[in-house]
Amino acid sequence: MSGNEREKIRHLLVVQDPQGERTIPLKEATYSLGRHSGNAIVLRSRSVSKQHAILLRVTLPQTDQYGFRVIDGNFNGKGSTNGLFVNGSKCSYHDLKHGDVIVFGDNQAQAKYYAISNLSEKAFSESCQVDDLSGFLSEQANPVNPFQTLVVDPSFEGASDTALARLASFPELIPNAIIETDLEGTVTYLNPAASLKFPKLRETGKQHPILAGLLSAVKNLEKNSFVREVEVGTEVFEQSVHYLPESDLIRTFIVRDITEQKQAEAELHQRDRLLQAVAEAANYLLMEMNYETAIDKALATLGEAAKVDRAYFFQNHPDPDTREMAVSLRFEWTRLSIQPSRHHWQNQAYQVSGLARWYTALSSGQSISGLSQEFPAVEREHLTRDGIQSLLLVPLRLDDEFWGYIGLADCTCERHWSRHEESTLLTMAASIIGARQRQQVEEKIRYQALHDLLTGLPNRLLFNEMLATTLPNARRNGDSLAVMFLDLDRFKVINDTLGHTLGDQLLQRVAQRLRDSLRGGDTLARWGGDEFTILLPRVNHIEEVAQVAQRMLQALENVFPLQGHELYVSASLGIALLDQNSPDAETLIQHADAALYHAKDKGRNNYQFYSVSLSAKNPELLTLEKNLRYALERAELTVYYQPRVNIATGQITGMEALLRWQHPEMGLVAPNVFIPLAEESGLILPIGEWVLQTACHQNKAWQDAGLPPLTMAVNLSLKQFRQPNLVETIARILEQTGLEARFLELEITETTAIEDLNFTRTVLQELEQMGVYISIDDFGTGHSSLSRLQMLPLHNLKIDRSFIRDLTTDVKVAHIVKAIVNLGQSLGLRLTAEGVEKEEELEFLKSINCEDVQGFLFYRPLTVQKATEILYSQSTKL
């Protein structure tokens, strides 16, 4: 064993916890210790924090040896829960000495530190495998303590002349710098180490950083000694200062070079700043509804924390002329003294601009980092133009494609980027991609909320918005406009006889022909079913409207060849013009609808303009409304129950109450026919209260019969939700039926929820305080986003059946459903998918951890008798 190897200090940590004892050679600069498996040294005890402590390697001044400092807490400076004890004393940090015993929280997890010399590399490696380390070390060499330090207390009067004489030669030999000055600041003594370390100290005198401020500091001393930190150029030292009043001298001792320690502390501090910045930026990207505002805030937060001059966001796109891959700067943050460079970085084709190397590296997932002077000349030209001296870029990948990149730049110094800065930028890139994906999902949801998925036309909601926007302009300019209602005359027969698939295809073809027959600027919307609405925003003469209506009727005259069938359809059109009889949007639509029924009465396949004489409601609707008024008292209404099933267990977890009307002559009336009529007439309030009372009573009856308790979901319409005594009504029904509030779930549509967000929040908070569960029904069909709905006290989110229908045939829809589930779960919502009819739909929902489903794959809506039988059958299997 060589002399150098013999003198080398070896460091070992013997860890003991409930799973036994193990020896760990300490060879790295930093170790994290804690209960979490991600730590370098895992301590298996419940009393230990997830990250309990840090071992930090500390270099001994003027030597090539080092020791270790143990620090309580994690890298973010958060202390452990149960504390750190060294040799029985609690401490926040401690410089370890040979033989020190460290206890983490309690005696279940502890460690002993060894610092040993006279040990070969081979024996050092073997020491980690032996069971009895102490015995093994005794056979190899005697342990030594490299941290023994000679400390002399100046107030100790018992020091002998011999001891003092021996110490007199010590300054000449010690490798640490010792400097002595008088009270005028004149240097009276330098030991060889000081002369070597600070060659210009005598020449500079008291202006030298080592001596600066000493005289004033000594005058204000309460004690005759203190320790301070001093910076000399790029180095930092720990300096011990002693004032000798009997000699009028100031003696200083450079204890150690703490440059690396300070750098490490600065790096830790900078890393903490960056981590905090990433967290803040991620919060902006998650919470801010405006995507561009979120990116601006995120870049500003990161730029400030990283102390850079520029923070960039570049996005790839095809060159508008050549279609080559190009890049443009979309967002940029700069310090106040730095000029923006956005105009320099627009439509830069990678190949033509000399940035092909960037594209190759970034598209393969690599980062680009370095000083500008090290970049190829053609790239350096781009950077020099913006005054950039150092650059760091990381890629953005969206749906496995190279989408762009973000970067940091320094214009004031040649900066070498740390791995922490690169990893921070990569984390930021992931957050930006997540925000973009959420934006895409919400854009898709907003589009679907405003458009008919089958035909791609604006839906009723968007049509109403466009009409409301157009009306003020028409009034301001003194113009007129027209609203048309179009209904297909023979569509129901085709749909019922040839099936919904062919019916859907026919609607798509009809929509295309109608769209082609309109003028530029006119709007065609699908109102629902086989009904369409048309907005003509510019009308100078009534003949113009008649011509458009005639073209639409003519467009449908030709045959529709579909799946071997030759189909013919015609249409009826009702038209209302903006005038004193139809002065607002609601009246225009009502009058166009009335004119439509008049066209049907005229034999169909024609158009009719509204006139005051048509104000009477359609006779068929009047009859239906009259019968509906007596349906409740004649017991023609009934409640069916559709089970909600847990995907994982297959068990029924809840029921949804569904209203049905069995008319003695008309038979089963479709809910989409009579419920809107009930809404319009106000009958929905007594009918809705009856449904709620019936559903709660039935749920309590099942519980009283000994069946496992489950949640009963009841839909609330917009008018029900807006009634002022809703909360009192629900409380009264729960009291009357004896049903606990936690077994009632109220469902409202997202459109109802966001119509007046403050009102909705107030009502839902009152219901939540009662213990009632709240669910958003038909999510994705309204005009909202999860970022807005998260402000409400919600418990469940029901994914609309229109998404589930296209789940296995449209990849984009599958991505949307997955995103809704992920976002919903991140907000603590339980997810239910409606309209599940196929096994492959169920398997997909299971794969993305959607909790519950409803649909014909499991159960159709059931009578109370059939539902009771199924619940009994399930309870016997539990």
Side-chain angles (χ1 to χ4, degrees):
M1 183 166 57
S2 67
N4 288 338
E5 190 174 16
R6 180 181 301 277
E7 293 173 1
K8 185 175 182 180
I9 304 297
R10 316 281 189 177
H11 304 268
L12 293 168
L13 195 69
V14 180
V15 177
Q16 186 171 5
D17 58 26
Q19 292 195 11
E21 182 176 288
R22 58 195 184 279
T23 302
I24 300 167
L26 301 179
K27 297 182 178 181
E28 303 296 332
T30 308
Y31 294 85
S32 60
L33 301 91
R35 190 176 75 247
H36 192 270
S37 60
N39 288 284
I41 300 175
V42 180
L43 303 172
R44 298 174 176 87
S45 169
R46 296 301 300 177
S47 68
V48 175
S49 300
K50 289 184 177 180
Q51 186 178 330
H52 199 102
I54 301 165
L55 272 181
L56 182 66
R57 187 167 71 188
V58 182
T59 303
L60 298 180
Q62 304 299 325
T63 74
D64 60 355
Q65 302 289 0
Y66 60 85
F68 280 89
R69 173 178 295 177
V70 63
I71 304 169
D72 181 66
N74 60 24
F75 286 110
N76 292 324
K78 182 180 179 182
S80 64
T81 303
N82 296 318
L84 180 75
F85 300 83
V86 180
N87 301 328
S89 298
K90 187 174 183 179
C91 58
S92 58
Y93 72 92
H94 181 79
D95 289 321
L96 293 173
K97 297 182 290 296
H98 175 74
D100 281 350
V101 176
I102 312 166
V103 176
F104 306 92
D106 59 23
N107 289 322
Q108 289 186 353
Q110 55 182 285
K112 187 172 183 180
Y113 173 72
Y114 291 84
I116 51 180
S117 61
N118 296 319
L119 190 65
S120 68
E121 185 68 31
K122 179 176 180 295
F124 181 52
S125 300
E126 292 174 355
S127 66
C128 301
Q129 309 299 324
V130 300
D131 295 329
D132 182 10
L133 180 63
S134 298
F136 177 80
L137 296 178
S138 298
E139 297 174 1
Q140 301 294 323
N142 293 320
V144 299
N145 184 356
F147 300 107
Q148 291 179 344
T149 304
L150 181 60
V151 180
V152 177
D153 185 354
S155 65
F156 180 56
E157 297 178 355
S160 66
D161 292 340
T162 303
L164 294 174
R166 179 171 60 81
L167 290 174
S169 63
F170 182 67
E172 296 296 311
L173 301 176
I174 193 169
N176 297 64
I178 298 178
I179 306 103
E180 188 177 84
T181 71
D182 61 20
L183 295 184
E184 301 299 324
T186 303
V187 176
T188 58
Y189 172 75
L190 294 177
N191 76 336
S195 298
L196 182 64
K197 185 67 179 175
F198 310 113
K200 295 185 178 181
L201 195 146
R202 283 188 183 277
E203 178 184 341
T204 309
K206 58 185 178 183
Q207 303 302 319
H208 195 281
I210 288 294
L211 304 179
L214 278 183
L215 297 181
S216 59
V218 166
K219 290 179 182 178
N220 300 317
L221 277 179
E222 294 182 2
K223 295 182 179 181
N224 290 343
S225 63
F226 64 92
V227 176
R228 69 175 188 169
E229 294 179 1
V230 291
E231 294 185 15
V232 182
T234 60
E235 297 178 292
V236 186
F237 302 96
E238 187 176 84
Q239 181 185 36
S240 177
V241 180
H242 298 270
Y243 171 48
L244 307 176
E246 66 278 6
S247 305
D248 288 333
L249 294 174
I250 301 172
R251 184 173 297 155
T252 73
F253 179 82
I254 301 301
V255 179
R256 59 195 176 109
D257 185 338
I258 58 174
T259 304
E260 290 187 5
Q261 175 187 329
K262 286 295 179 181
Q263 289 174 345
E265 291 174 354
E267 287 181 7
L268 284 173
H269 180 66
Q270 176 64 358
R271 189 182 65 177
D272 289 343
R273 282 173 56 90
L274 290 174
L275 290 174
Q276 179 64 29
V278 168
E280 291 180 15
N283 187 58
Y284 289 137
L285 293 167
L286 177 64
M287 302 299 296
E288 178 62 56
M289 293 180 64
N290 186 295
Y291 173 72
E292 295 188 355
T293 302
I295 295 294
D296 283 333
K297 289 182 178 180
L299 288 181
T301 301
L302 181 63
E304 292 284 1
K307 299 179 180 179
V308 296
D309 296 316
R310 300 181 188 275
Y312 295 118
F313 179 120
F314 292 85
Q315 187 174 335
N316 294 333
H317 61 86
D319 184 285
D321 298 323
T322 66
R323 310 311 294 171
E324 292 182 45
M325 184 58 68
V327 66
S328 292
L329 178 56
R330 298 301 189 202
F331 302 92
E332 179 185 26
W333 170 87
T334 62
R335 293 202 175 276
L336 291 177
S337 59
I338 304 299
Q339 291 297 318
S341 61
R342 189 167 182 176
H343 61 285
H344 293 161
W345 291 93
Q346 296 304 311
N347 200 36
Q348 295 287 331
Y350 282 101
Q351 292 292 339
V352 176
S353 302
L355 301 176
R357 184 180 74 93
W358 289 18
Y359 184 85
T360 301
L362 293 167
S363 63
S364 62
Q366 301 176 33
S367 301
I368 291 177
S369 173
L371 305 179
S372 299
Q373 64 182 17
E374 299 171 349
F375 282 59
V378 66
E379 298 174 7
R380 195 162 58 246
E381 289 181 10
H382 289 282
L383 304 181
T384 304
R385 179 184 58 195
D386 296 330
I388 296 172
Q389 298 191 44
S390 303
L391 183 68
L392 172 62
L393 304 174
V394 301
L396 295 166
R397 299 192 67 84
L398 181 64
D399 296 332
D400 293 328
E401 291 185 2
F402 175 38
W403 183 55
Y405 51 91
I406 58 173
L408 302 175
D410 207 310
C411 302
T412 54
C413 66
E414 292 186 342
R415 179 170 182 163
H416 296 277
W417 306 97
S418 69
R419 63 179 181 86
H420 294 308
E421 289 166 328
E422 183 176 347
S423 63
T424 297
L425 201 56
L426 287 167
T427 303
M428 177 65 78
S431 296
I432 289 175
I433 289 299
R436 176 57 183 163
Q437 289 172 328
R438 286 191 294 274
Q439 184 203 26
Q440 288 179 325
V441 170
E442 293 202 353
E443 284 177 351
K444 180 70 173 179
I445 292 173
R446 282 195 294 272
Y447 178 85
Q448 292 184 335
L450 296 171
H451 291 80
D452 172 53
L453 295 182
L454 178 64
T455 62
L457 296 175
N459 63 9
R460 180 184 304 198
L461 182 62
L462 183 54
F463 182 85
N464 286 333
E465 288 184 3
M466 297 175 73
L467 178 56
T469 303
T470 305
L471 275 171
N473 294 331
R475 294 194 190 100
R476 189 181 308 113
N477 299 327
D479 296 333
S480 184
L481 58 78
V483 171
M484 298 183 177
F485 237 116
L486 182 148
D487 181 84
L488 299 181
D489 295 329
R490 300 184 63 250
F491 178 76
K492 188 176 186 305
V493 176
I494 295 173
N495 204 42
D496 291 345
T497 56
L498 300 180
H500 294 287
T501 300
L502 191 139
D504 287 348
Q505 293 178 8
L506 177 59
L507 284 174
Q508 291 171 334
R509 300 284 185 87
V510 166
Q512 184 60 52
R513 289 193 189 180
L514 294 176
R515 188 189 293 118
D516 293 342
S517 64
L518 296 178
R519 309 170 304 171
D522 295 341
T523 298
L524 173 69
R526 187 181 179 199
W527 193 255
D530 62 346
E531 291 183 326
F532 297 85
T533 49
I534 302 94
L535 172 62
L536 308 184
R538 302 183 311 278
V539 173
N540 297 316
H541 304 285
I542 195 171
E543 291 79 8
E544 297 177 68
V545 183
Q547 289 172 3
V548 173
Q550 191 60 46
R551 283 201 304 270
M552 297 177 79
L553 295 177
Q554 290 173 352
L556 303 179
E557 290 178 355
N558 295 330
V559 65
F560 288 89
L562 286 172
Q563 298 183 11
H565 299 279
E566 292 186 349
L567 305 178
Y568 292 88
V569 292
S570 60
S572 300
L573 269 166
I575 306 169
L577 297 172
L578 177 63
D579 55 25
Q580 68 270 19
N581 296 317
S582 306
D584 53 56
E586 183 178 358
T587 309
L588 277 165
I589 292 173
Q590 289 177 351
H591 288 175
D593 193 24
L596 168 65
Y597 282 105
H598 184 51
K600 287 182 176 292
D601 291 340
K602 291 289 186 180
R604 304 175 187 265
N605 194 25
N606 71 96
Y607 63 89
Q608 296 293 324
F609 284 90
Y610 171 79
S611 63
V612 178
S613 62
L614 300 180
S615 293
K617 186 178 290 187
N618 178 272
E620 294 177 359
L621 291 179
L622 284 174
T623 301
L624 194 62
E625 180 179 325
K626 181 179 180 181
N627 286 324
L628 184 58
R629 291 184 181 277
Y630 297 101
L632 192 58
E633 63 185 67
R634 292 173 178 170
E636 295 173 4
L637 299 180
T638 186
V639 177
Y640 277 48
Y641 301 91
Q642 186 172 28
R644 180 174 64 202
V645 178
N646 181 273
I647 293 180
T649 64
Q651 298 296 310
I652 296 174
T653 60
M655 291 282 189
E656 180 179 2
L658 300 171
L659 179 62
R660 295 293 184 265
W661 181 14
Q662 185 69 45
H663 191 274
E665 297 174 4
M666 294 183 291
L668 192 64
V669 183
N672 62 347
V673 173
F674 73 86
I675 289 181
L677 191 60
E679 277 278 345
E680 180 182 346
S681 62
L683 292 172
I684 195 66
L685 296 180
I687 292 175
E689 184 174 335
W690 175 82
V691 171
L692 186 62
Q693 178 97 22
T694 302
C696 290
H697 180 272
Q698 184 58 56
N699 199 13
K700 186 64 168 65
W702 282 331
Q703 292 182 18
D704 293 342
L707 291 170
L710 48 78
T711 303
M712 178 65 72
V714 180
N715 292 278
L716 293 182
S717 70
L718 176 61
K719 189 164 289 188
Q720 283 179 278
F721 188 71
R722 293 291 171 191
Q723 59 181 316
N725 61 339
L726 174 65
V727 176
E728 292 79 4
T729 299
I730 292 172
R732 173 174 50 79
I733 290 175
L734 289 173
E735 182 179 1
Q736 290 174 349
T737 60
L739 182 69
E740 293 180 44
R742 62 194 178 103
F743 296 118
L744 174 62
E745 179 178 317
L746 298 177
E747 296 185 359
I748 61 174
T749 65
E750 57 179 321
T751 303
T752 299
I754 67 167
E755 182 169 289
D756 184 342
L757 212 53
N758 291 330
F759 174 86
T760 301
R761 187 187 299 113
T762 300
V763 174
L764 295 188
Q765 285 173 347
E766 292 181 17
L767 292 172
E768 185 185 37
Q769 290 173 2
M770 289 172 55
V772 174
Y773 279 76
I774 309 298
S775 174
I776 291 295
D777 192 23
D778 300 337
F779 181 74
T781 61
H783 190 182
S784 69
S785 66
L786 284 177
S787 58
R788 297 177 70 184
L789 292 179
Q790 69 173 333
M791 295 186 291
L792 304 176
L794 304 175
H795 305 90
N796 197 0
L797 190 70
K798 302 188 76 173
I799 305 170
D800 186 63
R801 65 184 68 247
S802 62
F803 288 96
I804 306 305
R805 181 185 62 199
D806 299 329
L807 188 61
T808 58
T809 59
D810 190 334
V811 174
K812 292 183 180 179
V813 172
H815 285 312
I816 291 171
V817 172
K818 183 176 181 181
I820 291 174
V821 170
N822 289 338
L823 288 173
Q825 290 175 340
S826 70
L827 297 176
L829 302 178
R830 190 173 183 88
L831 277 298
T832 301
E834 299 182 292
V836 178
E837 299 182 4
K838 302 175 183 177
E839 281 290 343
E840 53 265 33
E841 295 169 353
L842 179 65
E843 289 302 316
F844 178 87
L845 293 168
K846 185 185 298 183
S847 72
I848 62 173
N849 299 318
C850 181
E851 292 96 335
D852 298 323
V853 293
Q854 277 182 252
F856 292 174
L857 182 62
F858 288 92
Y859 302 99
R860 292 176 178 270
L862 307 170
T863 63
V864 65
Q865 179 180 356
K866 188 63 177 177
T868 303
E869 293 174 3
I870 289 174
L871 289 176
Y872 270 116
S873 175
Q874 176 177 281
S875 66
T876 59
K877 298 177 182 179
L878 295 178

